[in-house]
Every structure is written in C-alpha cells, then in structure tokens.
Amino acid sequence: MRVVTLRQAMRHDKLTVKAQDALTSARDASVGHHHAEVTPEHLLWALIAQDEGLVPRVLQRLGADPRVVAADVEKAFAKLPTIHGASIDVGMARSLKDLWEAA
C-alpha cells in the first residue's frame, strides 16, 4: 500500500487558511487516535469542528445536527486501524487523495 503524504497530494500554500487549518486538524485527529492515515472521516470531523465554518451551516440547512454527525464520525474512528510507536509518520489515505482530486 502506497501512502501519499499531505504535502505530496496538494499545495498547502494554495489553500485558504480555513482549508489549511482543517487539514492540520484532520492530521492531528489521526495522530491523536493513533491512526496510520488521514482519512475522509478525519477531514469531515475537522471541518465540522471549525468555528464559524461552512460545513456545520450546510449540515444544518440539510436538516442534520453537526454534533450528531461529528459523534457518528468519532464512532467511525473506532473502526479504523491503529498504530503505536515513537515516531508515527501519518500520510494521506488513498481514499482522501481520490476525494481531493475529485473535488
């Protein structure tokens, strides 16, 4: 399995500040949960958690409670494989890279 790092997949400097913050938060969530990769779930969780972000407003307009969606995403975290070690190098999952390219 080839792991693509966040830096390889996108030009961080070309993103908005909010997008950069979301990617950083997604990576931090991945590391904090001892996951080997940053997945779409990590990014969704980070986007929902953003203060004054667009994603919570979109979810509300769709009739979804952002807190419930975030809780569901956290439940999905429990199903992801974990790793442990002193130096964890977290990369971007293929699923997130494919999603990013499609967007």
Side-chain angles (χ1 to χ4, degrees), residues 18-95:
K18 284 243 186 232
Q20 290 177 25
D21 290 346
L23 286 171
T24 299
S25 293
R27 185 184 183 286
D28 292 346
S30 178
V31 170
H33 286 87
H34 303 283
H35 297 143
E37 300 176 312
V38 182
T39 66
E41 292 85 355
H42 294 109
L43 183 57
L44 176 59
W45 181 87
L47 289 168
I48 293 171
Q50 281 188 332
D51 292 331
E52 300 180 25
L54 178 65
V55 172
R57 291 186 302 220
V58 169
L59 289 171
Q60 287 172 338
R61 280 209 165 139
L62 293 171
D65 183 340
R67 293 172 297 186
V68 172
V69 176
D72 289 344
V73 171
E74 288 177 16
K75 288 177 189 172
F77 286 168
K79 297 177 184 175
L80 296 174
T82 60
I83 59 172
H84 296 278
S87 72
I88 298 173
D89 185 22
V90 176
M92 178 184 278
R94 170 59 61 189
S95 58

